[in-house]
Amino acid sequence: QVQLVESGGGLVQAGGSLRLSCTASGRTSAMGWFRQAPGKERDFVAARTWTGGSTYYADNVKGRFTISRDNSKNTVDLQMNNLKPEDTALYYCAAGNVVGNLRAPIAYGYWGQGTKVTVSS
């Protein structure tokens, strides 16, 4: 069982930046970030594999968000720049020994509780 703890959400004006952090209690093959706005499905944001460090991004965050890891702390961070009101959502950290599509929520076996990001216009 892997436990995930997120931090770093908050309120920011459009154009601003936030950094989310996720600390895992164990190692899995990949970790990612998803987000869910009220009344909408949980959407893929970014993911990173531990071996090789390959990164994947949703098209609507590419160039603005960066996923990184700190091996010594077993954390994965999401740096979010140039935030837009449509980025407002509950952001979830996910981890799993992923086989297949890293962009699919079902591929991940472990989830954090979520951290809220609100971007005002």
Side-chain angles (χ1 to χ4, degrees):
Q1 189 78 7
V2 175
Q3 293 182 330
L4 305 174
V5 178
E6 303 120 328
S7 62
L11 172 65
V12 65
Q13 288 187 333
S17 299
L18 282 174
R19 188 178 185 89
L20 306 183
S21 184
C22 177
T23 301
S25 63
R27 182 69 60 88
T28 56
S29 68
M31 291 182 69
W33 288 92
F34 289 76
R35 66 187 183 187
Q36 189 166 17
K40 296 189 176 181
E41 294 184 350
R42 190 167 297 188
D43 291 332
F44 171 76
V45 176
R48 188 180 181 113
T49 61
W50 282 109
T51 302
S54 298
T55 56
Y56 306 83
Y57 295 95
D59 288 342
N60 56 3
V61 306
K62 202 173 293 184
R64 300 188 297 125
F65 291 12
T66 302
I67 188 169
S68 61
R69 71 183 183 194
D70 185 330
N71 289 344
S72 64
K73 299 179 181 178
N74 212 25
T75 60
V76 173
D77 292 349
L78 184 69
Q79 177 66 41
M80 306 185 294
N81 298 328
N82 191 21
L83 282 160
K84 304 176 181 180
E86 51 263 43
D87 294 318
T88 295
L90 194 59
Y91 282 69
Y92 293 92
C93 178
N97 293 312
V98 177
V99 178
N101 187 4
L102 279 127
R103 300 170 185 267
I106 198 171
Y108 296 83
Y110 308 102
W111 292 87
Q113 293 299 307
T115 184
K116 189 174 182 180
V117 171
T118 304
V119 184
S120 63
S121 57

